[in-house]
Amino acid sequence: MRLLRCALLGLVGLAVLAAGIGLYFVVYPNLPEYEAPEALHYLDQWGEADRQTYYYTPQGTQVKGLEYDWFGALERPFSQDRFATPDYLARFGFLVDPAQQPTALNPGNLPVGFARHEDDETGRAYLDVTCAACHTGELRYNGQAVRIDGGAAMHSLASTVPTLRGGSFGQALGMSMAFTYYNPLKFRRFAQRVLGERYERDRAQLRQDFKRVLDRLLGTAYNDWHRGLYPTEEGFGRTDAFGRIANTVFGDALDPANYRVANAPVSYPQVWDIWKFDWVQWNGSAMQPMARNIGEALGVGARLQLMHENGAPITEAERYASGVRVRDLHTLETTLMRLAPPRWPEAILGNIHVEQASRGRALYRENCAHCHDAKPKPVTKRFAPDRDPEWHMPVISTTVVGTDPTTADNIADHRFDLSRLGWTQAELDRLDVRLFGKTSDPLDLTQVSSAKGLAYITAYVEARAYRDAGIRTDERAEFDGFGLPIGVQELRGYKARPLDGIWATPPFLHNGSVPSLFQLLSPVAERQTRFWTGSREYDPRHVGIRTEGFEGGFLLDTSITGNSNRGHEFRAGCRGNGVIGRALAPAERWALVEYLKVLGNPSFESRLKDLPPRPYNPGPACL
């Protein structure tokens, strides 16, 4: 009995110790220190007005109902320092300008992508995380920072699952709110900041409202953890976008039985020239700009209630009401149409070696252009005749390109039960949804793919949002984007894309598993299998991120499911299973890397010598 008691006490002690360690890292997350750059340089991608519109126009999302003023009033758990100070939020990887000050668009002086929106239904102002938060990048070199508008973020926004290393914005925010709610002194200071003269009258109601949002945050963290939904840690600069959107729309809003394991993180893709593509998303599955943006907004937290809290269906007339702001989404989309790819800044990152870049252009035309050159479609072949240009980029099968297939496989294989929505085939046929490669069989609502399910739900949400926003019938084609339908195709592959500005988007491949362009052009055996992310320190020679370990960084391990760095390989031997081209000598790789710094930049392209390329050789196929 005495031995059993000692064993039980030991187990309790270990549990308390583990909980204490976990709490410590959530309260004091293991984050990189923020050091302001000597100077921040904006490239000539668009005008300042467009930049500010993109950074701070809301799209209708909410952080579980967190109000904008609450966010600014929160303190860190064991400090009276504010949570939302630019320097602290920059430690999570969010982008700030050392010289920034509050503006009408950014009254809280928050990082890029943190906007304020007033909800039309409640009149309350919520914290809105916009597309700019994930599609704006920054690089550091020799103390200088270069902002990459439309580039890939390097933040830790997505993760909701507690880890012993901490480091996630969601975890830290949840703990800040928990300590505020349960510490009377903290809550008093918080409430006085938020309410001012209304403190005595409205304090009790504020406490109730605050607890409701805290419960949602903690409930999401518990749900994601105990279901094991996100086993592959995303770290900095990645999220399982498709998986999270599907779990939000099909699981949170409809039926818990629809939750699926999402173990395929992807990097945030660059968005310059996105309006020109006939198909978008990593797997080329979506067509219409508005539907794509509504899906993104729903995944990030736009309000959507498909069922009552007791599981009963909502009436058809009210079912698809959402927080999506279609007028603002249209503003963001049209603003992005003016965004130019970034141009290599020689004064900051170093001069271009013209002779080497000239050799690289010939090598590019031989080895890369057949997949990565933009292919303008003739007017008669365009999905949108008025879109000029309209580019078709091939979706390369995972069996050919050989890169980690988990993202493409999950999108192709996961099925969801949407039968509780009560759709009929005749009803779906009337929607502006076009299924490419569709069989003649009626849709089985108990086994709907994520792409098809999101297409139909966004069609309903879009129609309701247009009606609520007063968008006239004759305006809808413009808001849709070139009058396009909500097109869907389901291919087990990844879309190639033009490489203008590719130098500014490390790490590479869809899952961010290769740190530099030089490694991407090298055989898989020469690529790093583990490297650190979370720093923006740039390597202009290899064209990629620095990979050394640093305090607060995230170690990306390519042996973990979803993280593989294989494929897209140039290697001697037969072609197939990820080998896409002949072996490139080191000198050829250096030349290609030099050219990829300036590809698409007219001022540089005109300076290069026009060396004749060798003809493209598909090589022998493996049997």
Side-chain angles (χ1 to χ4, degrees), residues 547-569:
T547 59
E548 304 92 338
F550 59 95
E551 189 66 29
F554 176 79
L555 184 61
L556 194 151
D557 185 344
T558 62
S559 68
I560 294 172
T561 299
N563 289 355
S564 174
N565 67 346
R566 67 182 178 87
H568 197 280
E569 186 177 14

Side-chain angles (χ1 to χ4, degrees), residues 428-612:
L428 297 180
D429 289 341
R430 289 194 296 269
L431 296 175
D432 190 23
V433 175
R434 182 179 174 190
L435 305 180
F436 288 73
K438 177 184 179 294
T439 66
S440 58
D441 299 330
L443 194 67
D444 181 357
L445 291 180
T446 66
Q447 295 287 323
V448 182
S449 68
S450 57
K452 288 191 181 78
L454 284 170
Y456 287 121
I457 285 178
T458 54
Y460 283 111
V461 171
E462 180 179 281
R464 174 62 187 264
Y466 282 165
R467 187 168 72 248
D468 290 348
I471 307 299
R472 301 189 312 269
T473 302
D474 61 321
E475 295 179 291
R476 290 191 56 160
E478 178 189 345
F479 275 72
D480 288 344
F482 303 102
L484 290 164
I486 300 176
V488 179
Q489 66 176 358
E490 297 176 312
L491 303 175
R492 208 178 290 264
Y494 301 116
K495 180 170 70 73
R497 60 184 304 150
L499 302 183
D500 304 58
I502 191 68
W503 63 269
T505 64
F508 300 101
L509 293 185
H510 74 279
N511 60 354
S513 62
V514 179
S516 71
L517 286 178
F518 186 83
Q519 288 194 33
L520 188 60
L521 296 170
S522 302
V524 170
E526 297 179 25
R527 298 175 186 172
Q528 287 177 264
T529 57
R530 304 171 87 212
F531 60 93
W532 293 84
T533 66
S535 167
R536 297 190 183 87
E537 290 298 320
Y538 193 63
D539 178 352
R541 175 166 165 74
H542 294 86
V543 182
I545 57 170
R546 299 287 296 269
T547 59
E548 304 92 338
F550 59 95
E551 189 66 29
F554 176 79
L555 184 61
L556 194 151
D557 185 344
T558 62
S559 68
I560 294 172
T561 299
N563 289 355
S564 174
N565 67 346
R566 67 182 178 87
H568 197 280
E569 186 177 14
F570 294 89
R571 179 164 56 81
C574 61
R575 308 289 168 83
N577 195 30
V579 179
I580 61 169
R582 67 174 179 84
L584 298 170
E588 292 179 306
R589 293 178 229 163
W590 288 122
L592 257 173
V593 164
E594 195 71 7
Y595 175 61
L596 291 175
K597 297 176 183 178
V598 300
L599 182 153
N601 185 340
S603 63
F604 276 112
E605 293 269 13
S606 62
R607 291 164 50 188
L608 303 183
K609 295 181 180 178
D610 196 16
L611 303 178

Side-chain angles (χ1 to χ4, degrees), residues 337-354:
M337 292 176 70
R338 296 188 286 273
L339 177 67
R343 306 304 188 196
W344 179 272
E346 282 192 289
I348 303 167
L349 299 181
N351 293 331
I352 298 298
H353 191 293
V354 174

Side-chain angles (χ1 to χ4, degrees), residues 148-416:
I148 310 296
D149 286 321
M154 186 60 78
H155 55 48
S156 62
L157 171 66
S159 179
T160 49
V161 181
T163 64
L164 287 182
R165 68 173 299 278
S168 163
F169 171 75
Q171 296 172 46
L173 175 63
M175 284 300 100
S176 177
M177 292 187 66
F179 274 71
T180 297
Y181 182 79
Y182 290 107
N183 182 330
L185 296 178
K186 273 189 176 295
F187 190 82
R188 179 189 301 163
R189 291 192 296 271
F190 166 80
Q192 288 173 339
R193 293 187 191 111
V194 170
L195 298 174
E197 295 179 353
R198 297 181 291 113
Y199 173 75
E200 294 295 339
R201 187 189 72 191
D202 295 341
R203 179 182 183 276
Q205 185 62 52
L206 174 63
R207 188 166 177 82
Q208 290 181 26
D209 295 342
F210 189 87
K211 182 61 160 54
R212 192 176 302 114
V213 175
L214 174 61
D215 287 346
R216 289 174 189 154
L217 273 172
L218 299 182
T220 296
Y222 176 74
N223 179 73
D224 295 352
W225 169 73
H226 95 276
R227 293 179 186 275
L229 295 182
Y230 305 102
T232 300
E233 282 191 65
E234 292 148 317
F236 289 93
R238 303 192 311 164
T239 184
D240 191 325
F242 276 95
R244 287 186 178 275
I245 291 172
N247 282 335
T248 297
V249 176
F250 304 135
D252 293 350
L254 185 58
D255 187 345
N258 281 326
Y259 287 120
R260 299 290 180 267
V261 170
N263 56 355
V266 296
S267 293
Y268 302 106
Q270 63 269 31
V271 293
W272 49 81
D273 290 332
I274 190 172
W275 65 274
K276 301 175 183 177
F277 298 138
D278 57 359
W279 292 99
V280 295
Q281 307 292 27
W282 280 115
N283 66 336
S285 61
M287 175 187 291
Q288 189 196 89
M290 181 58 78
R292 174 196 72 218
N293 294 333
I294 286 175
E296 177 267 331
L298 293 176
V300 179
R303 172 177 49 82
L304 174 66
Q305 189 173 7
L306 298 176
M307 312 295 291
H308 288 295
E309 291 185 3
N310 62 6
I314 295 175
T315 61
E316 183 78 20
E318 299 298 324
R319 184 180 299 163
Y320 300 103
S322 74
V324 170
R325 300 167 65 97
V326 287
R327 290 191 182 275
D328 286 329
L329 287 174
H330 180 59
T331 295
L332 288 166
E333 184 70 22
T334 54
T335 301
L336 279 172
M337 292 176 70
R338 296 188 286 273
L339 177 67
R343 306 304 188 196
W344 179 272
E346 282 192 289
I348 303 167
L349 299 181
N351 293 331
I352 298 298
H353 191 293
V354 174
E355 293 286 339
Q356 195 170 38
S358 298
R359 292 193 294 273
R361 183 164 67 178
L363 288 162
Y364 170 85
R365 290 171 175 171
E366 174 198 345
N367 297 283
C368 314
H370 56 282
C371 283
H372 288 289
D373 264 6
K375 300 170 178 63
K377 297 162 69 173
V379 174
T380 55
K381 298 292 185 182
R382 294 176 193 165
F383 293 135
D386 293 336
R387 176 166 51 187
D388 188 16
E390 181 174 290
W391 291 346
H392 174 71
M393 304 303 299
V395 176
I396 312 298
S397 167
T398 54
T399 62
V400 175
V401 72
T403 49
D404 191 301
T406 315
T407 297
D409 287 347
N410 285 355
I411 296 170
D413 295 336
H414 285 174
R415 293 292 182 270
F416 305 88

